[in-house]
Amino acid sequence: MTIFPTQKYLIELHDDYSTSLNELQKKTLPKEQFVSNWDKQTFIGEINESDFELKLSKKLYGSFCVFRGKLKKENGILEIKINKTIKIVLLALFLFPIIGLTTSLIKNGLKDSLDLIIPTLLFILILRFVFIELSFRIIAKKGLKKLTEIIGIEKIKTGHNTM
């Protein structure tokens, strides 16, 4: 089990990959461009000749997941991960209770710090399995649905391990 979930898919396209990437380009705002109203486009990111790296354009939760894909002819590979910046923030949240528990153990000893072990473990478990997992699943599902509509994905197979 990893701290940060990822999803990998093999996809089959309805049309040729160049047509799909062209449609995706129409719905994507370049990441170098700064615009005050991002909601007019579905995605923000970078699209090359056969691959792309996108995130949703929604201000509140859009940058949580990154969608990376590589397309060839009428199929491709899609990988959904948590954004690196978000990972750093979440790692800091994981470290705060651990640092607090360690400080308490050093300062007060094991006997006086036993009451902090369960809340520390509960915080870490709730952060990982409720906040991170639930957020990832919801946002990845929304992004995958929009991506499916735009590039015309016919079939999705899960569990592909190479990118």
Side-chain angles (χ1 to χ4, degrees), residues 41-98:
Q41 299 292 346
T42 306
F43 293 104
I44 297 172
E46 186 176 339
I47 301 171
N48 297 321
E49 292 177 16
S50 65
D51 59 340
F52 58 87
E53 184 173 324
L54 308 168
K55 56 187 173 181
L56 288 169
S57 65
K58 299 297 179 195
K59 292 177 187 168
L60 186 60
Y61 60 84
S63 65
F64 192 82
C65 289
V66 175
F67 299 84
R68 265 192 205 137
K70 188 168 190 159
L71 304 177
K72 295 178 187 174
K73 295 186 181 180
E74 291 182 352
N75 56 26
I77 300 168
L78 177 65
E79 182 178 31
I80 306 172
K81 291 180 150 186
I82 295 178
N83 191 347
K84 287 181 183 179
T85 308
I86 303 293
K87 282 183 182 180
I88 292 169
V89 171
L90 292 172
L91 272 174
L93 281 174
F94 275 115
L95 289 176
F96 283 140
I98 294 170

Side-chain angles (χ1 to χ4, degrees), residues 94 97-98 101 116-129:
F94 275 115
I98 294 170
L101 178 64
L116 293 177
I117 292 174
I118 292 176
T120 301
L121 291 175
L122 282 176
F123 177 80
I124 291 170
L125 290 174
I126 289 172
L127 180 63
R128 167 57 179 95
F129 291 108

